[in-house]
Amino acid sequence: MPYKSFEEYNMQVTDDVKERYKNIIEDLGENAERDGLVKTPERAAKAMQFLTQGYNQDPVEILKSAMFKESYNEMVIVKDIELYSLCEHHILPFFGKAHIAYIPNGHIVGLSKLPRIVDVFARRLQVQERLTEQVLDCINDTLKPQGVAVVIEASHMCMMMRGVQKQNSITTTSGFRGQFEKIETRNEFLKLIGK
C-alpha cells in the first residue's frame, strides 16, 4: 500500500501561503520552477500550517477531557517533554524540554494531557517566556491544583544560525504558582527534575 498522509490542511490557506512562498523564493534570487523547488512552496505552506496548528486547538478542553476526581495530593511531575516551536521574531525554530509539576486538589489529569497542552501552546508563533506562562496558567486555571510549576529549557535557532551565532546557549524559563511559591516545595521539584 502506498504511503498515505493523514494530515489535513485548509486548501485555501495552503494555496494562498504557497503563492507567497513562491514569491519569496523568487525574490531571494532562486528559480522556483527548478526541479528541487517546484513543490517547495506547497510543502512549506503545509509545514507552516502544521507548525502553527495550536491556534486551532483548545488546551482547556484537552485538560477537561481527562480530569478525574482523586484524593492524591502529592507532587505529580512529567519531565523532559520535548517541545518544538517557532520564534515569533524571526520565524526560526526553538526546541528543548518542558518540565511540569502540579499538586492535585481533588482532581488529577491524564498524564498525556500535559505534553499535549505544551504542544498546543508551542505550535504557535511564540516567545519562550510567554509559552512558559501560558502552560502554567492553563494548568492552574483549569485544574485549580494546590500548586503548579513549569520549567522550560530551549535552544533558539535565531541565536545559533544568525545574529550572535552562539551554538551552546540554553535559555531557561520558569514559573511557579501556589505551593510551588514556597521555597521548600520549589526546591523539591527542582531537585527531582535534576536542576
Side-chain angles (χ1 to χ4, degrees), residues 94-143:
F94 68 92
F95 56 93
K97 295 178 180 177
H99 313 285
I100 299 173
Y102 75 100
I103 300 172
N105 190 20
H107 287 90
I108 60 169
V109 68
L111 296 177
S112 70
K113 302 309 177 198
L114 298 176
R116 287 187 193 280
I117 65 160
V118 170
D119 283 348
V120 168
F121 289 117
R123 289 182 180 157
R124 301 175 181 190
L125 299 179
Q126 271 293 8
V127 294
Q128 185 174 329
E129 297 87 343
R130 183 186 319 119
L131 173 60
T132 303
E133 192 169 66
Q134 287 175 330
V135 171
L136 182 74
D137 288 341
C138 181
I139 296 167
N140 193 55
D141 296 346
T142 307
L143 288 182

mmCIF file of all heavy atoms in Angstrom, residues 94-143:
data_model
loop_
_atom_site.group_PDB
_atom_site.id
_atom_site.type_symbol
_atom_site.label_atom_id
_atom_site.label_comp_id
_atom_site.label_asym_id
_atom_site.label_seq_id
_atom_site.Cartn_x
_atom_site.Cartn_y
_atom_site.Cartn_z
ATOM 1 N N PHE A 94 12.712 27.100 17.821
ATOM 2 C CA PHE A 94 13.396 26.854 19.087
ATOM 3 C C PHE A 94 12.849 25.545 19.620
ATOM 4 O O PHE A 94 11.715 25.167 19.340
ATOM 5 C CB PHE A 94 13.307 28.023 20.067
ATOM 6 C CG PHE A 94 11.966 28.353 20.651
ATOM 7 C CD1 PHE A 94 11.554 27.805 21.862
ATOM 8 C CD2 PHE A 94 11.121 29.267 20.023
ATOM 9 C CE1 PHE A 94 10.330 28.146 22.434
ATOM 10 C CE2 PHE A 94 9.896 29.613 20.580
ATOM 11 C CZ PHE A 94 9.494 29.048 21.787
ATOM 12 N N PHE A 95 13.688 24.820 20.329
ATOM 13 C CA PHE A 95 13.327 23.459 20.728
ATOM 14 C C PHE A 95 14.031 23.111 22.037
ATOM 15 O O PHE A 95 15.063 23.665 22.369
ATOM 16 C CB PHE A 95 13.713 22.455 19.632
ATOM 17 C CG PHE A 95 15.177 22.517 19.270
ATOM 18 C CD1 PHE A 95 16.095 21.689 19.888
ATOM 19 C CD2 PHE A 95 15.622 23.425 18.328
ATOM 20 C CE1 PHE A 95 17.441 21.762 19.573
ATOM 21 C CE2 PHE A 95 16.967 23.510 17.998
ATOM 22 C CZ PHE A 95 17.885 22.677 18.623
ATOM 23 N N GLY A 96 13.411 22.212 22.776
ATOM 24 C CA GLY A 96 14.003 21.808 24.044
ATOM 25 C C GLY A 96 13.065 20.916 24.821
ATOM 26 O O GLY A 96 12.365 20.087 24.246
ATOM 27 N N LYS A 97 13.048 21.152 26.148
ATOM 28 C CA LYS A 97 12.260 20.310 27.037
ATOM 29 C C LYS A 97 11.486 21.158 28.025
ATOM 30 O O LYS A 97 11.963 22.197 28.485
ATOM 31 C CB LYS A 97 13.179 19.380 27.827
ATOM 32 C CG LYS A 97 13.912 18.373 26.985
ATOM 33 C CD LYS A 97 14.827 17.530 27.843
ATOM 34 C CE LYS A 97 15.569 16.524 26.979
ATOM 35 N NZ LYS A 97 16.514 15.737 27.782
ATOM 36 N N ALA A 98 10.298 20.660 28.345
ATOM 37 C CA ALA A 98 9.482 21.266 29.397
ATOM 38 C C ALA A 98 9.388 20.270 30.544
ATOM 39 O O ALA A 98 9.340 19.055 30.328
ATOM 40 C CB ALA A 98 8.088 21.601 28.877
ATOM 41 N N HIS A 99 9.367 20.797 31.764
ATOM 42 C CA HIS A 99 9.170 20.002 32.967
ATOM 43 C C HIS A 99 7.977 20.614 33.692
ATOM 44 O O HIS A 99 7.958 21.824 33.942
ATOM 45 C CB HIS A 99 10.404 20.052 33.868
ATOM 46 C CG HIS A 99 11.693 19.841 33.137
ATOM 47 N ND1 HIS A 99 12.101 18.606 32.689
ATOM 48 C CD2 HIS A 99 12.661 20.715 32.762
ATOM 49 C CE1 HIS A 99 13.276 18.722 32.087
ATOM 50 N NE2 HIS A 99 13.632 19.995 32.110
ATOM 51 N N ILE A 100 6.985 19.787 33.996
ATOM 52 C CA ILE A 100 5.753 20.282 34.612
ATOM 53 C C ILE A 100 5.480 19.483 35.880
ATOM 54 O O ILE A 100 5.604 18.256 35.895
ATOM 55 C CB ILE A 100 4.552 20.127 33.659
ATOM 56 C CG1 ILE A 100 4.770 20.939 32.389
ATOM 57 C CG2 ILE A 100 3.247 20.530 34.347
ATOM 58 C CD1 ILE A 100 3.709 20.712 31.320
ATOM 59 N N ALA A 101 5.079 20.196 36.933
ATOM 60 C CA ALA A 101 4.633 19.534 38.162
ATOM 61 C C ALA A 101 3.364 20.225 38.639
ATOM 62 O O ALA A 101 3.172 21.423 38.426
ATOM 63 C CB ALA A 101 5.703 19.617 39.245
ATOM 64 N N TYR A 102 2.506 19.444 39.280
ATOM 65 C CA TYR A 102 1.361 20.035 39.956
ATOM 66 C C TYR A 102 1.045 19.208 41.190
ATOM 67 O O TYR A 102 1.435 18.037 41.289
ATOM 68 C CB TYR A 102 0.146 20.159 39.018
ATOM 69 C CG TYR A 102 -0.582 18.880 38.716
ATOM 70 C CD1 TYR A 102 -1.772 18.550 39.392
ATOM 71 C CD2 TYR A 102 -0.120 17.986 37.756
ATOM 72 C CE1 TYR A 102 -2.452 17.379 39.107
ATOM 73 C CE2 TYR A 102 -0.796 16.820 37.467
ATOM 74 C CZ TYR A 102 -1.961 16.516 38.143
ATOM 75 O OH TYR A 102 -2.639 15.350 37.875
ATOM 76 N N ILE A 103 0.387 19.836 42.148
ATOM 77 C CA ILE A 103 -0.068 19.160 43.351
ATOM 78 C C ILE A 103 -1.589 19.173 43.290
ATOM 79 O O ILE A 103 -2.215 20.235 43.377
ATOM 80 C CB ILE A 103 0.443 19.858 44.634
ATOM 81 C CG1 ILE A 103 1.971 19.871 44.640
ATOM 82 C CG2 ILE A 103 -0.104 19.149 45.874
ATOM 83 C CD1 ILE A 103 2.592 20.699 45.766
ATOM 84 N N PRO A 104 -2.202 17.987 43.104
ATOM 85 C CA PRO A 104 -3.656 17.928 42.927
ATOM 86 C C PRO A 104 -4.427 18.479 44.125
ATOM 87 O O PRO A 104 -3.937 18.478 45.255
ATOM 88 C CB PRO A 104 -3.921 16.427 42.756
ATOM 89 C CG PRO A 104 -2.627 15.848 42.311
ATOM 90 C CD PRO A 104 -1.575 16.666 42.991
ATOM 91 N N ASN A 105 -5.618 18.929 43.823
ATOM 92 C CA ASN A 105 -6.518 19.467 44.851
ATOM 93 C C ASN A 105 -7.916 18.889 44.599
ATOM 94 O O ASN A 105 -8.862 19.618 44.371
ATOM 95 C CB ASN A 105 -6.525 20.997 44.787
ATOM 96 C CG ASN A 105 -7.238 21.613 45.961
ATOM 97 O OD1 ASN A 105 -7.422 20.986 46.994
ATOM 98 N ND2 ASN A 105 -7.657 22.863 45.793
ATOM 99 N N GLY A 106 -7.993 17.541 44.585
ATOM 100 C CA GLY A 106 -9.270 16.883 44.348
ATOM 101 C C GLY A 106 -9.417 16.298 42.965
ATOM 102 O O GLY A 106 -10.289 15.478 42.715
ATOM 103 N N HIS A 107 -8.566 16.760 42.018
ATOM 104 C CA HIS A 107 -8.608 16.240 40.654
ATOM 105 C C HIS A 107 -7.193 15.984 40.151
ATOM 106 O O HIS A 107 -6.288 16.774 40.412
ATOM 107 C CB HIS A 107 -9.278 17.238 39.698
ATOM 108 C CG HIS A 107 -10.749 17.328 39.866
ATOM 109 N ND1 HIS A 107 -11.344 18.222 40.728
ATOM 110 C CD2 HIS A 107 -11.764 16.638 39.283
ATOM 111 C CE1 HIS A 107 -12.658 18.084 40.671
ATOM 112 N NE2 HIS A 107 -12.937 17.123 39.804
ATOM 113 N N ILE A 108 -7.050 14.892 39.411
ATOM 114 C CA ILE A 108 -5.822 14.655 38.656
ATOM 115 C C ILE A 108 -6.184 14.747 37.176
ATOM 116 O O ILE A 108 -7.359 14.789 36.821
ATOM 117 C CB ILE A 108 -5.195 13.285 38.994
ATOM 118 C CG1 ILE A 108 -6.155 12.147 38.659
ATOM 119 C CG2 ILE A 108 -4.747 13.229 40.450
ATOM 120 C CD1 ILE A 108 -5.533 10.754 38.710
ATOM 121 N N VAL A 109 -5.157 14.755 36.339
ATOM 122 C CA VAL A 109 -5.388 14.823 34.900
ATOM 123 C C VAL A 109 -4.609 13.694 34.239
ATOM 124 O O VAL A 109 -3.546 13.295 34.737
ATOM 125 C CB VAL A 109 -4.983 16.207 34.332
ATOM 126 C CG1 VAL A 109 -3.481 16.421 34.395
ATOM 127 C CG2 VAL A 109 -5.489 16.383 32.914
ATOM 128 N N GLY A 110 -5.140 13.148 33.156
ATOM 129 C CA GLY A 110 -4.412 12.127 32.405
ATOM 130 C C GLY A 110 -3.039 12.654 32.033
ATOM 131 O O GLY A 110 -2.912 13.771 31.533
ATOM 132 N N LEU A 111 -2.014 11.862 32.300
ATOM 133 C CA LEU A 111 -0.637 12.339 32.154
ATOM 134 C C LEU A 111 -0.305 12.793 30.738
ATOM 135 O O LEU A 111 0.466 13.727 30.560
ATOM 136 C CB LEU A 111 0.343 11.246 32.606
ATOM 137 C CG LEU A 111 0.259 10.868 34.078
ATOM 138 C CD1 LEU A 111 1.212 9.730 34.385
ATOM 139 C CD2 LEU A 111 0.552 12.071 34.970
ATOM 140 N N SER A 112 -0.902 12.167 29.735
ATOM 141 C CA SER A 112 -0.598 12.558 28.352
ATOM 142 C C SER A 112 -1.120 13.950 28.021
ATOM 143 O O SER A 112 -0.690 14.565 27.037
ATOM 144 C CB SER A 112 -1.183 11.549 27.363
ATOM 145 O OG SER A 112 -2.596 11.640 27.336
ATOM 146 N N LYS A 113 -2.042 14.456 28.825
ATOM 147 C CA LYS A 113 -2.625 15.766 28.527
ATOM 148 C C LYS A 113 -1.628 16.896 28.796
ATOM 149 O O LYS A 113 -1.712 17.960 28.165
ATOM 150 C CB LYS A 113 -3.905 15.993 29.322
ATOM 151 C CG LYS A 113 -4.983 14.945 29.078
ATOM 152 C CD LYS A 113 -5.266 14.718 27.615
ATOM 153 C CE LYS A 113 -6.292 13.625 27.408
ATOM 154 N NZ LYS A 113 -6.299 13.099 26.065
ATOM 155 N N LEU A 114 -0.690 16.690 29.703
ATOM 156 C CA LEU A 114 0.290 17.744 29.982
ATOM 157 C C LEU A 114 1.205 17.986 28.779
ATOM 158 O O LEU A 114 1.358 19.136 28.353
ATOM 159 C CB LEU A 114 1.068 17.431 31.262
ATOM 160 C CG LEU A 114 0.196 17.368 32.527
ATOM 161 C CD1 LEU A 114 1.026 16.957 33.737
ATOM 162 C CD2 LEU A 114 -0.514 18.693 32.785
ATOM 163 N N PRO A 115 1.787 16.935 28.171
ATOM 164 C CA PRO A 115 2.537 17.185 26.930
ATOM 165 C C PRO A 115 1.665 17.743 25.808
ATOM 166 O O PRO A 115 2.134 18.551 25.000
ATOM 167 C CB PRO A 115 3.082 15.802 26.558
ATOM 168 C CG PRO A 115 3.127 15.049 27.838
ATOM 169 C CD PRO A 115 1.964 15.563 28.644
ATOM 170 N N ARG A 116 0.404 17.342 25.770
ATOM 171 C CA ARG A 116 -0.478 17.850 24.717
ATOM 172 C C ARG A 116 -0.687 19.365 24.828
ATOM 173 O O ARG A 116 -0.720 20.064 23.821
ATOM 174 C CB ARG A 116 -1.827 17.137 24.733
ATOM 175 C CG ARG A 116 -1.754 15.723 24.215
ATOM 176 C CD ARG A 116 -3.156 15.125 24.098
ATOM 177 N NE ARG A 116 -3.109 13.704 23.888
ATOM 178 C CZ ARG A 116 -2.876 13.117 22.723
ATOM 179 N NH1 ARG A 116 -2.668 13.850 21.658
ATOM 180 N NH2 ARG A 116 -2.851 11.795 22.626
ATOM 181 N N ILE A 117 -0.836 19.860 26.058
ATOM 182 C CA ILE A 117 -1.030 21.315 26.150
ATOM 183 C C ILE A 117 0.270 22.066 25.880
ATOM 184 O O ILE A 117 0.239 23.191 25.368
ATOM 185 C CB ILE A 117 -1.695 21.764 27.465
ATOM 186 C CG1 ILE A 117 -0.824 21.490 28.666
ATOM 187 C CG2 ILE A 117 -3.073 21.174 27.618
ATOM 188 C CD1 ILE A 117 -1.201 22.325 29.856
ATOM 189 N N VAL A 118 1.413 21.448 26.187
ATOM 190 C CA VAL A 118 2.688 22.059 25.780
ATOM 191 C C VAL A 118 2.691 22.212 24.268
ATOM 192 O O VAL A 118 3.026 23.281 23.736
ATOM 193 C CB VAL A 118 3.897 21.225 26.263
ATOM 194 C CG1 VAL A 118 5.193 21.731 25.623
ATOM 195 C CG2 VAL A 118 4.006 21.254 27.786
ATOM 196 N N ASP A 119 2.291 21.157 23.549
ATOM 197 C CA ASP A 119 2.252 21.218 22.085
ATOM 198 C C ASP A 119 1.286 22.285 21.574
ATOM 199 O O ASP A 119 1.589 22.992 20.617
ATOM 200 C CB ASP A 119 1.853 19.863 21.492
ATOM 201 C CG ASP A 119 2.978 18.852 21.505
ATOM 202 O OD1 ASP A 119 4.139 19.243 21.756
ATOM 203 O OD2 ASP A 119 2.698 17.661 21.267
ATOM 204 N N VAL A 120 0.122 22.396 22.207
ATOM 205 C CA VAL A 120 -0.860 23.391 21.750
ATOM 206 C C VAL A 120 -0.254 24.789 21.785
ATOM 207 O O VAL A 120 -0.366 25.557 20.830
ATOM 208 C CB VAL A 120 -2.150 23.342 22.594
ATOM 209 C CG1 VAL A 120 -3.030 24.554 22.315
ATOM 210 C CG2 VAL A 120 -2.921 22.067 22.325
ATOM 211 N N PHE A 121 0.394 25.130 22.893
ATOM 212 C CA PHE A 121 0.962 26.475 23.013
ATOM 213 C C PHE A 121 2.259 26.623 22.216
ATOM 214 O O PHE A 121 2.568 27.706 21.720
ATOM 215 C CB PHE A 121 1.178 26.839 24.475
ATOM 216 C CG PHE A 121 -0.110 27.080 25.220
ATOM 217 C CD1 PHE A 121 -0.483 26.268 26.275
ATOM 218 C CD2 PHE A 121 -0.949 28.121 24.860
ATOM 219 C CE1 PHE A 121 -1.670 26.485 26.968
ATOM 220 C CE2 PHE A 121 -2.141 28.349 25.537
ATOM 221 C CZ PHE A 121 -2.496 27.528 26.590
ATOM 222 N N ALA A 122 3.028 25.525 22.087
ATOM 223 C CA ALA A 122 4.285 25.599 21.334
ATOM 224 C C ALA A 122 4.036 25.717 19.834
ATOM 225 O O ALA A 122 4.840 26.314 19.119
ATOM 226 C CB ALA A 122 5.147 24.371 21.623
ATOM 227 N N ARG A 123 2.914 25.178 19.357
ATOM 228 C CA ARG A 123 2.638 25.220 17.924
ATOM 229 C C ARG A 123 1.895 26.494 17.552
ATOM 230 O O ARG A 123 0.808 26.486 16.969
ATOM 231 C CB ARG A 123 1.875 23.960 17.509
ATOM 232 C CG ARG A 123 2.793 22.751 17.575
ATOM 233 C CD ARG A 123 2.149 21.496 17.146
ATOM 234 N NE ARG A 123 3.119 20.390 17.237
ATOM 235 C CZ ARG A 123 2.787 19.132 17.358
ATOM 236 N NH1 ARG A 123 1.520 18.781 17.373
ATOM 237 N NH2 ARG A 123 3.709 18.201 17.439
ATOM 238 N N ARG A 124 2.536 27.572 17.933
ATOM 239 C CA ARG A 124 2.104 28.932 17.604
ATOM 240 C C ARG A 124 3.375 29.749 17.437
ATOM 241 O O ARG A 124 4.449 29.314 17.845
ATOM 242 C CB ARG A 124 1.272 29.531 18.747
ATOM 243 C CG ARG A 124 0.028 28.737 19.079
ATOM 244 C CD ARG A 124 -0.697 29.283 20.290
ATOM 245 N NE ARG A 124 -1.883 28.446 20.562
ATOM 246 C CZ ARG A 124 -2.827 28.753 21.423
ATOM 247 N NH1 ARG A 124 -2.745 29.880 22.122
ATOM 248 N NH2 ARG A 124 -3.862 27.953 21.596
ATOM 249 N N LEU A 125 3.267 30.918 16.867
ATOM 250 C CA LEU A 125 4.419 31.821 16.872
ATOM 251 C C LEU A 125 4.588 32.265 18.320
ATOM 252 O O LEU A 125 3.643 32.759 18.934
ATOM 253 C CB LEU A 125 4.194 32.998 15.932
ATOM 254 C CG LEU A 125 3.981 32.616 14.462
ATOM 255 C CD1 LEU A 125 3.749 33.862 13.622
ATOM 256 C CD2 LEU A 125 5.156 31.817 13.904
ATOM 257 N N GLN A 126 5.788 32.077 18.882
ATOM 258 C CA GLN A 126 5.942 32.181 20.321
ATOM 259 C C GLN A 126 7.209 32.899 20.723
ATOM 260 O O GLN A 126 8.125 33.103 19.926
ATOM 261 C CB GLN A 126 6.021 30.772 20.938
ATOM 262 C CG GLN A 126 4.729 30.142 21.322
ATOM 263 C CD GLN A 126 4.022 30.843 22.480
ATOM 264 O OE1 GLN A 126 4.404 31.926 22.946
ATOM 265 N NE2 GLN A 126 2.957 30.237 22.953
ATOM 266 N N VAL A 127 7.247 33.239 22.003
ATOM 267 C CA VAL A 127 8.476 33.522 22.736
ATOM 268 C C VAL A 127 8.460 32.561 23.924
ATOM 269 O O VAL A 127 7.391 32.210 24.432
ATOM 270 C CB VAL A 127 8.600 34.999 23.196
ATOM 271 C CG1 VAL A 127 8.735 35.928 21.996
ATOM 272 C CG2 VAL A 127 7.446 35.409 24.081
ATOM 273 N N GLN A 128 9.623 32.140 24.352
ATOM 274 C CA GLN A 128 9.695 31.120 25.397
ATOM 275 C C GLN A 128 9.070 31.591 26.702
ATOM 276 O O GLN A 128 8.435 30.819 27.411
ATOM 277 C CB GLN A 128 11.158 30.715 25.618
ATOM 278 C CG GLN A 128 11.325 29.585 26.602
ATOM 279 C CD GLN A 128 12.753 29.110 26.706
ATOM 280 O OE1 GLN A 128 13.509 29.174 25.743
ATOM 281 N NE2 GLN A 128 13.136 28.625 27.871
ATOM 282 N N GLU A 129 9.223 32.869 27.000
ATOM 283 C CA GLU A 129 8.666 33.398 28.242
ATOM 284 C C GLU A 129 7.140 33.268 28.268
ATOM 285 O O GLU A 129 6.558 32.842 29.259
ATOM 286 C CB GLU A 129 9.066 34.880 28.402
ATOM 287 C CG GLU A 129 10.562 35.113 28.529
ATOM 288 C CD GLU A 129 11.305 35.268 27.203
ATOM 289 O OE1 GLU A 129 10.765 34.889 26.139
ATOM 290 O OE2 GLU A 129 12.438 35.772 27.235
ATOM 291 N N ARG A 130 6.483 33.623 27.172
ATOM 292 C CA ARG A 130 5.030 33.524 27.097
ATOM 293 C C ARG A 130 4.585 32.065 27.105
ATOM 294 O O ARG A 130 3.603 31.713 27.750
ATOM 295 C CB ARG A 130 4.505 34.220 25.839
ATOM 296 C CG ARG A 130 2.962 34.191 25.763
ATOM 297 C CD ARG A 130 2.373 34.742 24.457
ATOM 298 N NE ARG A 130 3.040 35.920 23.985
ATOM 299 C CZ ARG A 130 3.669 35.982 22.804
ATOM 300 N NH1 ARG A 130 3.718 34.947 21.993
ATOM 301 N NH2 ARG A 130 4.240 37.104 22.424
ATOM 302 N N LEU A 131 5.316 31.214 26.384
ATOM 303 C CA LEU A 131 4.992 29.790 26.351
ATOM 304 C C LEU A 131 4.969 29.218 27.769
ATOM 305 O O LEU A 131 4.042 28.510 28.155
ATOM 306 C CB LEU A 131 6.017 29.050 25.487
ATOM 307 C CG LEU A 131 5.936 27.525 25.457
ATOM 308 C CD1 LEU A 131 4.592 27.045 24.942
ATOM 309 C CD2 LEU A 131 7.073 26.969 24.604
ATOM 310 N N THR A 132 5.973 29.556 28.562
ATOM 311 C CA THR A 132 6.049 29.079 29.947
ATOM 312 C C THR A 132 4.829 29.537 30.737
ATOM 313 O O THR A 132 4.189 28.741 31.434
ATOM 314 C CB THR A 132 7.336 29.615 30.614
ATOM 315 O OG1 THR A 132 8.462 29.205 29.836
ATOM 316 C CG2 THR A 132 7.479 29.109 32.040
ATOM 317 N N GLU A 133 4.494 30.795 30.605
ATOM 318 C CA GLU A 133 3.372 31.366 31.353
ATOM 319 C C GLU A 133 2.029 30.791 30.894
ATOM 320 O O GLU A 133 1.148 30.529 31.711
ATOM 321 C CB GLU A 133 3.376 32.882 31.210
ATOM 322 C CG GLU A 133 2.436 33.579 32.157
ATOM 323 C CD GLU A 133 2.675 35.076 32.174
ATOM 324 O OE1 GLU A 133 2.436 35.719 31.130
ATOM 325 O OE2 GLU A 133 3.115 35.591 33.216
ATOM 326 N N GLN A 134 1.870 30.583 29.596
ATOM 327 C CA GLN A 134 0.605 30.038 29.092
ATOM 328 C C GLN A 134 0.360 28.618 29.598
ATOM 329 O O GLN A 134 -0.757 28.285 30.000
ATOM 330 C CB GLN A 134 0.586 30.072 27.559
ATOM 331 C CG GLN A 134 0.417 31.466 27.004
ATOM 332 C CD GLN A 134 0.520 31.515 25.494
ATOM 333 O OE1 GLN A 134 1.218 30.707 24.865
ATOM 334 N NE2 GLN A 134 -0.169 32.464 24.883
ATOM 335 N N VAL A 135 1.393 27.781 29.581
ATOM 336 C CA VAL A 135 1.256 26.412 30.088
ATOM 337 C C VAL A 135 0.925 26.452 31.576
ATOM 338 O O VAL A 135 0.005 25.779 32.048
ATOM 339 C CB VAL A 135 2.535 25.591 29.816
ATOM 340 C CG1 VAL A 135 2.486 24.241 30.536
ATOM 341 C CG2 VAL A 135 2.758 25.398 28.316
ATOM 342 N N LEU A 136 1.655 27.266 32.311
ATOM 343 C CA LEU A 136 1.458 27.397 33.757
ATOM 344 C C LEU A 136 0.041 27.847 34.083
ATOM 345 O O LEU A 136 -0.657 27.227 34.897
ATOM 346 C CB LEU A 136 2.477 28.405 34.300
ATOM 347 C CG LEU A 136 2.499 28.670 35.788
ATOM 348 C CD1 LEU A 136 3.124 27.493 36.525
ATOM 349 C CD2 LEU A 136 3.290 29.936 36.083
ATOM 350 N N ASP A 137 -0.413 28.916 33.448
ATOM 351 C CA ASP A 137 -1.745 29.465 33.748
ATOM 352 C C ASP A 137 -2.865 28.528 33.319
ATOM 353 O O ASP A 137 -3.887 28.425 34.000
ATOM 354 C CB ASP A 137 -1.915 30.838 33.089
ATOM 355 C CG ASP A 137 -1.089 31.914 33.771
ATOM 356 O OD1 ASP A 137 -0.668 31.718 34.936
ATOM 357 O OD2 ASP A 137 -0.855 32.966 33.142
ATOM 358 N N CYS A 138 -2.694 27.832 32.195
ATOM 359 C CA CYS A 138 -3.724 26.904 31.729
ATOM 360 C C CYS A 138 -3.942 25.794 32.749
ATOM 361 O O CYS A 138 -5.078 25.483 33.104
ATOM 362 C CB CYS A 138 -3.335 26.334 30.373
ATOM 363 S SG CYS A 138 -4.570 25.202 29.701
ATOM 364 N N ILE A 139 -2.863 25.214 33.233
ATOM 365 C CA ILE A 139 -2.977 24.143 34.230
ATOM 366 C C ILE A 139 -3.563 24.691 35.522
ATOM 367 O O ILE A 139 -4.476 24.101 36.112
ATOM 368 C CB ILE A 139 -1.609 23.484 34.484
ATOM 369 C CG1 ILE A 139 -1.105 22.800 33.219
ATOM 370 C CG2 ILE A 139 -1.695 22.483 35.645
ATOM 371 C CD1 ILE A 139 0.358 22.388 33.266
ATOM 372 N N ASN A 140 -3.056 25.832 35.959
ATOM 373 C CA ASN A 140 -3.509 26.425 37.219
ATOM 374 C C ASN A 140 -4.993 26.790 37.167
ATOM 375 O O ASN A 140 -5.756 26.464 38.081
ATOM 376 C CB ASN A 140 -2.667 27.659 37.544
ATOM 377 C CG ASN A 140 -2.857 28.132 38.959
ATOM 378 O OD1 ASN A 140 -2.673 27.360 39.901
ATOM 379 N ND2 ASN A 140 -3.226 29.383 39.116
ATOM 380 N N ASP A 141 -5.416 27.430 36.091
ATOM 381 C CA ASP A 141 -6.805 27.891 35.988
ATOM 382 C C ASP A 141 -7.791 26.759 35.731
ATOM 383 O O ASP A 141 -8.950 26.839 36.142
ATOM 384 C CB ASP A 141 -6.929 28.939 34.873
ATOM 385 C CG ASP A 141 -6.127 30.203 35.158
ATOM 386 O OD1 ASP A 141 -5.682 30.401 36.310
ATOM 387 O OD2 ASP A 141 -5.925 30.983 34.207
ATOM 388 N N THR A 142 -7.344 25.689 35.064
ATOM 389 C CA THR A 142 -8.256 24.601 34.705
ATOM 390 C C THR A 142 -8.352 23.548 35.805
ATOM 391 O O THR A 142 -9.445 23.167 36.208
ATOM 392 C CB THR A 142 -7.812 23.941 33.384
ATOM 393 O OG1 THR A 142 -7.664 24.957 32.386
ATOM 394 C CG2 THR A 142 -8.831 22.913 32.914
ATOM 395 N N LEU A 143 -7.201 23.089 36.289
ATOM 396 C CA LEU A 143 -7.202 22.043 37.323
ATOM 397 C C LEU A 143 -7.449 22.597 38.726
ATOM 398 O O LEU A 143 -7.884 21.867 39.608
ATOM 399 C CB LEU A 143 -5.869 21.293 37.333
ATOM 400 C CG LEU A 143 -5.566 20.354 36.190
ATOM 401 C CD1 LEU A 143 -4.223 19.669 36.411
ATOM 402 C CD2 LEU A 143 -6.656 19.313 36.045
#
